[in-house]
Amino acid sequence: MKTGVLLVNLGTPDSTEVGDVRKYLREFLSDKRVIDIPAISRWMLVNLIIAPFRAPKSAAEYKRLFTERGSPLKYYTEDLLEPLRGMLGADYAVEYAMRYQSPSIQLGLDKLRAQHVGKIHVIPLFPQYASASTGSVIDKVMEITKDWQIIPEIKFTSQFLEEDKFLQVIVNNGKKWMAKTDYDHFVFSYHGLPERQILKGSVGKQCQLGTCCHQFHDRNRYCYRAQCYQTTRLLAGKLGIPEEKYTVCFQSRLGRDPWIKPYTDHVLEELPASGKKKVLAFSPAFVSDCLETTVEVGETYKEDFIKAGGEQWDLVESLNDDPLWIECLADLVRRG
């Protein structure tokens, strides 16, 4: 029997229309792993405050991102399928899904089930594990399959930040930029999380939201913040960037509760004053170009950096459909 492979990315609105963006925000932010507060409070926050007021602004941002093919996050994920099928051969059935909106995880699993697969390997396309991303995908897959009469063996790849080919694609892309400009500083910006989510996942009070992330070991292997620092150390080592020339920071915070620090928007405002006016930014938490990379880091942060006195702000592109990235995915599947 074939092995089924399901690639799962975060998701995207079906279009840039305000109604579609509002629908996406409601599904995304109603996830109990994304906004981890009591259900009634979450419903009121999302449906009465965030979705109605944020949707028009987000729709305008998505219009800056979408191309003739639609959302890059979606079409770059879809573009992985045929090359990956070719690498894996006839013993594998490969499909893709989005955690939120379409194509759904339900549809992806149904497609694999229709091909009579003997086992299923789910790969959430998030290099670093977080409850709000990878954990949510695992939760949804288990919710769906628990009602099947026959549940096949199901395997999850919960993180792949240390995979050499994953790192090498980012390094290759970074070196292309570094060959053209002598940058003063390098910023590694990751999607943020509320501090409470990091602390809730801490084993034996290991996490102190400080220098505990400067080492990576069994006790903090699934701490999102520690994984981000480890990813950066590995990339900086391969790129030859000394520690004093880079900053790890976190973007895209929502609400008033404290999120993991330092905040990217604060960091970029401080850099020019210290003489760091040419900056190259990396977004190693994302494998596909999306709103958080192309628009937030690549455009909005660039504008803010220039206003603060900076001269040049460039963004290293995501892995997208790079052949080496597809080889990395094939390696993860075969190893499973």
Side-chain angles (χ1 to χ4, degrees):
M1 299 178 73
K2 289 184 177 182
T3 294
V5 178
L6 185 65
L7 307 178
V8 185
N9 216 328
L10 181 70
T12 183
D14 291 332
S15 78
T16 59
E17 295 299 318
V18 173
D20 282 337
V21 174
R22 185 181 296 115
K23 180 181 177 183
Y24 169 74
L25 290 175
R26 281 178 173 157
E27 182 181 358
F28 172 37
L29 298 175
S30 294
D31 187 337
K32 64 183 182 295
R33 287 181 176 268
V34 174
I35 298 183
D36 55 333
I37 61 177
I40 294 177
S41 299
R42 182 171 60 250
W43 187 93
M44 294 178 66
L45 178 64
V46 172
N47 291 279
L48 302 182
I49 300 176
I50 299 178
F53 293 100
R54 191 179 180 90
K57 179 182 177 182
S58 294
E61 293 176 342
Y62 275 110
K63 286 179 181 177
R64 297 162 66 182
L65 172 71
F66 273 47
T67 70
E68 292 181 357
R69 291 187 64 190
S71 167
L73 182 143
K74 187 172 183 178
Y75 63 71
Y76 277 127
T77 305
E78 186 175 7
D79 287 350
L80 301 174
L81 296 188
E82 287 306 318
L84 184 57
R85 286 167 179 160
M87 287 184 187
L88 294 174
D91 290 337
Y92 295 86
V94 183
E95 302 293 343
Y96 85 107
M98 297 289 154
R99 174 60 185 89
Y100 310 104
Q101 296 300 283
S102 59
S104 66
I105 291 177
Q106 177 76 63
L107 179 60
L109 290 171
D110 286 346
K111 284 184 175 182
L112 293 177
R113 202 177 179 192
Q115 297 178 67
H116 306 288
V117 297
K119 54 185 177 180
I120 296 175
H121 188 161
V122 181
I123 304 181
L125 297 177
F126 313 110
Q128 303 83 20
Y129 175 90
S131 173
S133 54
T134 304
S136 180
V137 171
I138 295 171
D139 198 347
K140 189 65 176 179
V141 170
M142 294 173 71
E143 175 190 319
I144 293 168
T145 57
K146 70 178 175 57
D147 294 324
W148 290 5
Q149 188 66 32
I150 299 174
I151 302 176
E153 176 185 348
I154 301 177
K155 174 184 173 60
F156 298 94
T157 293
S158 56
Q159 57 179 214
F160 51 85
L161 61 106
E162 295 180 295
E163 288 292 317
D164 188 65
K165 290 177 182 177
F166 157 73
L167 296 167
Q168 195 59 49
V169 177
I170 301 174
V171 169
N172 292 345
N173 291 341
K175 284 183 176 179
K176 293 175 185 176
W177 288 95
M178 293 167 70
K180 295 183 289 186
T181 301
D182 184 17
Y183 292 99
D184 302 318
H185 202 70
F186 301 87
V187 166
F188 292 84
S189 182
Y190 297 82
H191 200 290
L193 288 177
E195 289 182 352
R196 66 175 183 273
Q197 293 188 7
I198 300 294
L199 296 173
K200 283 167 65 175
S202 177
V203 178
K205 297 183 179 180
Q206 165 67 29
C207 183
Q208 302 298 317
L209 295 169
T211 58
C212 51
C213 290
H214 292 179
Q215 293 183 338
F216 196 55
H217 45 71
D218 290 345
R219 286 177 294 168
N220 68 358
R221 177 161 290 276
Y222 284 92
C223 167
Y224 176 75
R225 188 171 181 269
Q227 293 170 79
C228 293
Y229 275 91
Q230 175 68 356
T231 306
T232 300
R233 283 191 293 269
L234 294 171
L235 289 171
K238 289 177 176 290
L239 287 162
I241 303 173
E243 187 174 355
E244 65 273 12
K245 289 200 69 174
Y246 70 78
T247 300
V248 178
C249 44
F250 302 90
Q251 65 186 79
S252 310
R253 64 189 183 279
L254 177 68
R256 297 179 180 179
D257 288 348
W259 283 44
I260 49 179
K261 300 177 183 68
Y263 300 142
T264 304
D265 55 343
H266 291 182
V267 167
L268 67 88
E269 291 175 355
E270 297 167 356
L271 289 174
S274 60
K276 299 162 185 174
K277 298 191 175 185
K278 294 182 180 180
V279 172
L280 181 64
F282 294 79
S283 295
F286 305 92
V287 300
S288 307
D289 288 338
C290 57
L291 192 69
E292 289 79 4
T293 61
T294 304
V295 176
E296 187 173 12
V297 179
E299 297 179 11
T300 302
Y301 286 171
K302 180 177 182 177
E303 293 169 4
D304 293 344
F305 181 69
I306 299 301
K307 287 179 182 177
E311 297 175 1
Q312 183 173 350
W313 174 280
D314 295 316
L315 171 65
V316 176
E317 58 270 39
S318 299
L319 289 76
N320 294 327
D321 57 354
D322 191 288
L324 192 59
W325 163 226
I326 300 171
E327 286 185 27
C328 177
L329 291 170
D331 291 345
L332 292 172
V333 172
R334 294 191 189 103
R335 199 178 306 149

